[in-house]
Amino acid sequence: GAVVSQHPSRVICKSGTSVKIECRSLDFQATTMFWYRQFPKQSLMLMATSNEGSKATYEQGVEKDKFLINHASLTLSTLTVTSAHPEDSSFYICSASPDRGETQYFGPGTRLLVL
Amino acid sequence: GQNIDQPTEMTATEGAIVQINCTYQTSGFNGLFWYQQHAGEAPTFLSYNVLDGLEEKGRFSSFLSRSKGYSYLLLKELQMKDSASYLCAVRALPYSSASKIIFGSGTRLSIRP
């Protein structure tokens, strides 16, 4: 089956630093990748959609300058949380799709804690 | 607007049957998903309905009525490991560069012995 990995699985950082999260599709080419954020006891909220080689499309209310997304290849997308603050602490989950999103495979998630 | 409603919490007994309901109002509809999510883990796919009717897959079944904007997930022969959150998600239009999936807030199911 399709496998999506995320790295790191858990990260703790100081306020003001930047954190990069990688999302990789291991056995298929991901035309589209999605980034979600999930706060405790809440559901997944879509942050942005990225297509390989083009700019990401951000959801309303998500700051594109704060959450930098790069989808440089068909197997890798990165999310960089710039100048992280404690309120950015959350569970970040990516999903990868071999098409335009009809099928999505979720990564295991990255838990970010900003002190 | 986009709105997906499901109960916040449910409790059921091991070996029993439970039905988790989901209603949705979205600007367009292109399929409904059910996912299972254990605490601290990413969601795992359970089912996908795009046409009206019941889809059965082992102990899990999912039903869809597009005219009513309604779906349910039916879990039979409940096991302790079924304790998890169950997310209802709708793929809504407009269809731009990619299909956007909107998630409900999830139903936290607790199974008691």
Side-chain angles (χ1 to χ4, degrees):
Chain A
V3 178
V4 176
S5 70
Q6 274 186 248
H7 177 80
S9 58
R10 182 184 297 264
V11 58
I12 302 173
C13 69
K14 292 182 179 179
S15 184
T17 59
S18 294
V19 175
K20 180 185 283 189
I21 303 170
E22 293 186 348
C23 177
R24 293 181 185 273
S25 58
L26 299 184
D27 52 1
F28 67 97
Q29 293 187 324
T31 305
T32 311
M33 284 188 170
F34 302 85
W35 286 96
Y36 296 86
R37 180 168 53 183
Q38 185 176 34
F39 292 106
K41 297 188 177 181
Q42 295 185 25
S43 192
L44 280 74
M45 296 297 296
L46 180 65
M47 299 175 68
T49 303
S50 74
N51 293 294
E52 185 265 340
S54 63
K55 291 184 179 180
T57 302
Y58 289 81
E59 294 300 303
Q60 194 172 10
V62 178
E63 300 174 56
K64 61 181 180 181
D65 294 331
K66 179 170 180 62
F67 298 98
L68 301 178
I69 292 173
N70 184 290
H71 193 162
S73 76
L74 283 172
T75 59
L76 173 65
S77 176
T78 60
L79 167 68
T80 301
V81 183
T82 61
S83 187
H85 289 99
E87 58 265 30
D88 298 323
S89 299
S90 187
F91 192 42
Y92 291 86
I93 305 173
C94 74
S95 72
S97 174
D99 40 53
R100 290 193 297 172
E102 286 81 2
T103 308
Q104 292 191 30
Y105 302 99
F106 284 88
T110 297
R111 192 162 301 282
L112 171 64
L113 176 62
V114 184
L115 302 176
Chain B
Q2 320 279 32
N3 197 42
I4 299 176
D5 289 316
Q6 51 182 130
T8 305
E9 293 188 22
M10 296 183 72
T11 303
T13 304
E14 189 176 16
I17 299 173
V18 70
Q19 177 175 312
I20 304 174
N21 296 323
C22 171
T23 57
Y24 63 89
Q25 294 124 15
T26 57
S27 55
F29 177 82
N30 197 21
L32 185 142
F33 300 82
W34 282 96
Y35 288 88
Q36 180 190 62
Q37 186 179 27
H38 285 99
E41 299 179 11
T44 55
F45 172 83
L46 290 178
S47 68
Y48 172 64
N49 294 68
V50 66
L51 299 176
D52 289 351
L54 185 68
E55 296 273 347
E56 296 185 76
K57 191 185 295 184
R59 293 191 299 117
F60 294 2
S61 302
S62 57
F63 171 83
L64 174 67
S65 169
R66 288 173 298 171
S67 62
K68 296 181 180 178
Y70 168 69
S71 172
Y72 67 73
L73 179 69
L74 192 71
L75 293 77
K76 303 176 184 176
E77 301 169 18
L78 286 170
Q79 302 175 9
M80 298 303 293
K81 67 178 182 179
D82 296 330
S83 293
S85 286
Y86 291 86
L87 310 178
C88 173
V90 172
R91 186 161 61 217
L93 300 172
Y95 193 96
S96 55
S97 60
S99 294
K100 183 161 67 174
I101 294 180
I102 302 165
F103 283 83
S105 56
T107 298
R108 197 156 48 251
L109 175 65
S110 300
I111 309 299
R112 56 175 177 247

